[in-house]
Each structure stands twice: as C-alpha cells, then as structure tokens.
C-alpha cells in the first residue's frame, strides 16, 4: 500500500511518525484519496474483504486519483469504508426512542458548554470522546473536534429513493465533509450542515470515521 500523505496524530502531531502520547487524537492531514486506500489496507489487515476497487482491482495507491475518483464501492463487502452522507447524518441524529430523527438543535449549546470541541473552546484537536457524552447511537464527536469525510460527491440532494443505497450525485469536483471542527473555518456543528472540499486537500482540522456493512 502507498499513501501520498501518511497522516499525523491530531492537528499538532508529526506526520507519518510512530504513535505517541497523542495516539488517541483523530488522524488528520490525509486526503480523501488517502482515506479510501487506508480503508482497504485496514480491511485486509483485519482479514475483511476490501470495499473499494477500480475495474476489479483493489485500490492500494492513493496517488491513483483518477481510478479512486471512479472507484466502485461494494456495500456488500464486510471491509471498512467511509460512511455515505446519509449514513453519517442518520448516525448523528439517531434516537432509538423516536421514529423520527432528532434535529440535534442542542449541538450548538453543547459546544458553548464545552460538550463539543469547537472554535469556542479549543484551538487544536483533543482526544476522542473527551467532550461531553456519546449520542443516542453511542458515538462520540459527531459534532466538533475534526471535520469528517463522507464518501459522496458534493451536490444537490437527489430525489428520495426507497430500498436503494443512497450516495448522492454520480460525479463532481468536491467530496462531502460533515460535523464541524475546532477550527474557525469549519464552525458549523449542526447535524444538517454540509461542507465540501477538493479530495486532494488536507488540513489539521479534517479527519474521518469509518463504517462497516453487516
């Protein structure tokens, strides 16, 4: 496997170095392409079927941007992958006691009270799960700490589809990111807020979380 950007521990880490006392910070300074290839690498390391391929070949080189842009995502594979934008928002809003998804209007007040790492209370990344409680899905840092990549190209929402895996427009120039971060450049923490970035970009306030089909 080859990675153009090996990443670092949080916003203040050392790129491509072995883990330190900051090993519990989110991984940052990786492009969307790096994350796609990392998901395949981690899948194989754990004995799972890689999700992302091009023309039947597993993607193992993040410099192959053309192939990754056109990659096939096997949602039936048991390997690791990025969540789709729909999956990310569902996880952020999930409430097992309510058939409708939560609007999560509390997220901004949570940031003000220190329950989400945002520009209001942080100037860099912090260890995962150190701000507030988990949400109703048992997930931490869905709002704040680092902005998180999704699989989808950024575009207008398409008409609703039933019983079909939704992953947005087929092609585009930027990929979706969600969740906000500690940075004043990405301050919006509500679960419905959307960001978009060129998949070649990488910053200390951008990271990712992974999903797995069962």
């Amino acid at each position: 496997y080859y990675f153009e950007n090996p990443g670092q521990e949080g916003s203040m880490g050392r790129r491509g170095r072995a883990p330190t006392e900051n090993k519990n910070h989110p991984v940052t300074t990786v492009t969307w392409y790096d994350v796609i290839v990392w998901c395949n690498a981690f899948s194989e390391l754990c004995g799972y079927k890689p999700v992302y391929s091009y023309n039947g070949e597993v993607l193992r080189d993040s410099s192959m941007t053309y192939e990754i842009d056109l990659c096939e995502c096997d949602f039936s594979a048991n390997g690791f992958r990025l969540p789709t934008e729909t999956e990310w928002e569902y996880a952020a809003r999930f409430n097992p006691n309510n058939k409708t998804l939560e609007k999560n209007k509390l997220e901004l007040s949570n940031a003000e009270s220190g329950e989400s790492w945002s520009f209001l209370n942080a100037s860099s990344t912090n260890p995962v799960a150190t701000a507030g409680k988990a949400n109703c899905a048992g997930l931490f840092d869905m709002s704040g700490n680092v902005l998180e990549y999704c699989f989808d190209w950024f575009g207008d929402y398409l008409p609703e589809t039933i019983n079909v895996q939704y992953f947005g427009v087929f092609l585009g120039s930027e990929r979706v990111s969600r969740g906000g971060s500690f940075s004043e450049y990405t301050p919006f923490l509500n679960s419905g807020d959307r960001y978009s970035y060129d998949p070649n970009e990488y910053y200390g306030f951008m990271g990712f979380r992974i999903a797995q089909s069962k």
Side-chain angles (χ1 to χ4, degrees):
Y1 278 88
Y2 173 75
F3 301 94
E4 288 275 88
N5 303 280
Q8 66 185 38
E9 299 167 320
S11 55
M12 307 297 288
R14 300 181 301 168
R15 297 187 68 191
R17 301 296 183 87
T20 68
E21 66 275 6
N22 294 320
K23 63 183 180 181
N24 292 323
H25 283 237
V27 172
T28 67
T29 65
V30 285
T31 69
W32 185 89
Y33 299 116
D34 292 311
V35 177
I36 291 296
V37 172
W38 183 90
C39 285
N40 278 350
F42 192 39
S43 296
E44 290 202 309
L45 183 66
C46 295
Y48 298 131
K49 180 181 178 181
V51 172
Y52 300 111
S53 64
Y54 177 75
N55 283 345
E57 296 292 329
V58 173
L59 292 166
R60 295 186 171 93
D61 184 341
S62 69
S63 69
M64 299 173 61
T65 57
Y66 173 83
E67 290 82 357
I68 302 176
D69 278 337
L70 300 176
C71 72
E72 300 166 0
C73 179
D74 183 359
F75 288 102
S76 67
N78 62 353
F80 300 106
R81 59 180 176 81
L82 285 177
T84 65
E85 183 177 16
T86 301
E87 289 173 328
W88 190 98
E89 188 164 343
Y90 184 88
R93 294 174 182 261
F94 178 74
N95 184 347
N97 301 314
N98 191 334
K99 292 183 179 180
T100 60
L101 299 183
E102 291 287 341
K103 293 183 178 180
N104 277 357
K105 291 183 177 179
L106 294 176
E107 289 171 344
L108 288 177
S109 61
N110 284 349
E112 293 171 354
S113 64
E115 294 185 16
S116 283
W117 295 121
S118 76
F119 74 101
L120 297 172
N121 57 12
S123 58
S124 62
T125 56
N126 282 272
V128 172
T130 57
K133 301 177 181 178
N135 71 2
C136 291
L139 302 173
F140 289 90
D141 293 339
M142 292 299 290
S143 298
N145 213 2
V146 294
L147 197 63
E148 298 178 1
Y149 294 115
C150 294
F151 177 68
D152 312 47
W153 289 107
F154 186 86
D156 294 336
Y157 290 129
L158 300 178
E160 182 179 359
T161 55
I162 305 298
N163 296 325
V164 175
Q165 184 75 35
Y166 181 89
F167 49 86
V169 297
F170 180 68
L171 287 175
S173 60
E174 297 181 321
R175 295 285 181 171
V176 174
S177 293
R178 302 292 293 263
S181 79
F182 70 87
S183 172
E184 61 183 4
Y185 298 110
T186 53
F188 303 117
L189 306 179
N190 281 327
S191 54
D193 289 320
R194 310 172 76 204
Y195 293 91
S196 63
Y197 283 87
D198 185 304
N200 286 294
E201 292 184 86
Y202 55 92
Y203 300 103
F205 57 81
M206 295 183 71
F208 63 99
R209 74 174 63 228
I210 55 176
Q212 187 180 25
S213 297
K214 295 293 188 179

